[in-house]
Every structure is written in C-alpha cells, then in structure tokens.
Amino acid sequence: MPTPSILAFDVFGTVVDWHGSIVREVQALYPQIDADAFATAWRAGYQPAMQRVRSGELGWTLIDDLHRMVLDGLLPRFGLSHLGEDERDHLNRVWHRLDPWPDTVAGLVRLKTRHTLCTLSNGNIGLLTNMAKRAGLPWDCVLSAEVFRAYKPDPRTYLGVAGVFRVAPAQVMLVAAHQDDLAAARACGLATAYVERPLEFGAGRPKDVSPDAANTWHARDFLHLAELLGC
C-alpha cells in the first residue's frame, strides 16, 4: 500500500521511556521514596491537567507548567514538601531528560532514509528540543501542541501537521503506542502505525499491545516498523 511521506511521532511512551527514566532519576535523588509510585502518580495527573486547558478552565499553558502544577501537588504525598524552588525546577525538568527506548534512535535513522520525521507531542517545543539534543533523536522537524495551541486529541494537532507540510492528511502517518491517539488521528484522515511498548508503565503494569485492525501498520518496535516500510 502507498506509504505516507510524513511520519509524525507521539513522544512520551512511544519514543522515550518516561516511566523508567523518572524512576531512575527519582531513585538517585530521593532514595527514601517509592520512585515507581511517584512516576506513576505524576503521569496520572497529565491528562486531567490538559483537560483543564481543553475545557477553558485554564488558558493556554505549556506542558512544562502543567507538569510543575502536578508535581507541586504531588510532593506532600511523598514527604517532599521541603524541596526548594531550585530542586523542584530540576526535578520538573526530568521530562526533558527522558531516555529513548533501545530501538528508538536506530529505528528513526532507518525511517529517515525514506520519510520526513517530526514529533507530534503535547510536550512543548523547548522540552522536545532538549530531549532530542540529549538523546540524539534525529528529527527533521519538532512539532508540538504548542504550535497549534491545542492538545491532542484536538483535530487541529493532526491536521496541523498536514498543513505545515502542505500535504493531504493521508500523506501523514501518526506513529504512537496509544490506541486513543491513533483513533483520533484516523478520524482526521491520517494513516496510523501502532508500536508496541508493553513496559511503558513499568514491568509491574504491562500494557495490552494487541493489534487493532483499524491501524495501517502494527510494529513491535521502530526497527520492525522500518522493516515493514522498506527502510
């Protein structure tokens, strides 16, 4: 089947291991707390925080600032209320320092030989750029909800990628490890590729990575996706 020319990637969980990265850093900084529970609770505040923006309760707010709001509410629960501003800011920026999955960089390099690669993340541009610089992620372009001032699954994000590159939506394929993100992209006319990330939430909470026939492609990882796409 024809392959879209633009591959747009969800980032948190799909490209980088947010859970494992946060656990490793929190364990090193604050060994007295349950780092697994901390990472899980922090991520659990992600969607509710964005929903406050989507609903209009909050004006446009960057993910860095939403992460900080969630973090400030989380610290007392884990006995970290005493952290000062510098410590809180450093911890909040762990989202800029997330490690890629083992297959990520090599897979992206292969995919880049035949496709234009961009992010399509709710993360803000500064966060995504710092992450890419540190992890060696070879994006052709960094796109973010910040560009469109709308958080996924708002259609403006998916259609915005097509608009940036002046192509039809069918010429864009969203690559993600989340079926709801992919379903929203399909509703906008994009092709979709599901990538299995069974350990996104840690070894203690494996994900169901069963195929969904509605997706254009289903891959074990980025190297498998490159193989499927002939890269």
Side-chain angles (χ1 to χ4, degrees), residues 36 85 93 147 166 176 186 210:
D36 175 81
E85 176 59 31
R93 286 176 177 269
V147 175
R166 295 185 172 234
R186 280 197 305 275
S210 303

Side-chain angles (χ1 to χ4, degrees), residues 30-156:
Y30 311 107
Q32 73 275 23
I33 73 168
D34 183 340
D36 175 81
F38 186 89
T40 301
W42 199 355
R43 180 66 173 182
Y46 177 68
Q47 287 293 342
M50 286 190 295
Q51 185 55 36
R52 294 179 65 189
V53 177
R54 296 187 191 108
S55 70
E57 178 188 345
L58 288 178
W60 176 252
T61 309
L62 298 181
I63 281 293
D64 268 342
D65 297 321
L66 294 180
H67 278 155
R68 176 60 189 268
M69 289 166 54
V70 177
L71 175 64
D72 286 341
L74 199 62
L75 293 177
R77 194 192 318 174
F78 288 86
L80 295 175
S81 299
H82 62 280
L83 295 189
E85 176 59 31
D86 288 348
E87 290 174 292
R88 291 175 186 233
D89 183 64
H90 177 75
L91 182 54
N92 197 53
R93 286 176 177 269
V94 68
W95 295 95
H96 296 224
R97 301 186 293 270
L98 303 180
D99 296 323
W101 295 106
D103 59 277
T104 290
V105 174
L108 291 176
V109 168
R110 282 179 55 179
L111 289 163
K112 189 170 178 172
T113 62
R114 297 188 62 179
H115 304 277
T116 296
L117 308 186
C118 70
T119 58
L120 181 57
S121 172
N122 287 328
N124 44 285
I125 295 170
L127 181 159
L128 295 170
T129 302
N130 290 339
M131 177 194 294
K133 184 74 171 176
R134 177 182 177 274
L137 306 175
W139 305 123
D140 293 302
C141 177
V142 173
L143 292 179
S144 157
E146 181 182 355
V147 175
F148 311 114
R149 297 182 72 82
Y151 283 123
K152 293 188 293 180
D154 191 302
R156 286 176 287 177

Side-chain angles (χ1 to χ4, degrees), residues 6 8 55 100 127 139 167 174 192 220:
I6 312 296
S55 70
L127 181 159
W139 305 123
V167 297
L174 180 69
T192 55
R220 293 185 302 274

Side-chain angles (χ1 to χ4, degrees), residues 185-208:
R186 280 197 305 275
C188 293
L190 277 64
T192 55
Y194 180 78
V195 178
E196 297 178 5
R197 298 299 188 197
L199 301 182
E200 178 183 354
F201 295 92
R205 288 174 292 277
K207 280 172 56 177
D208 178 6

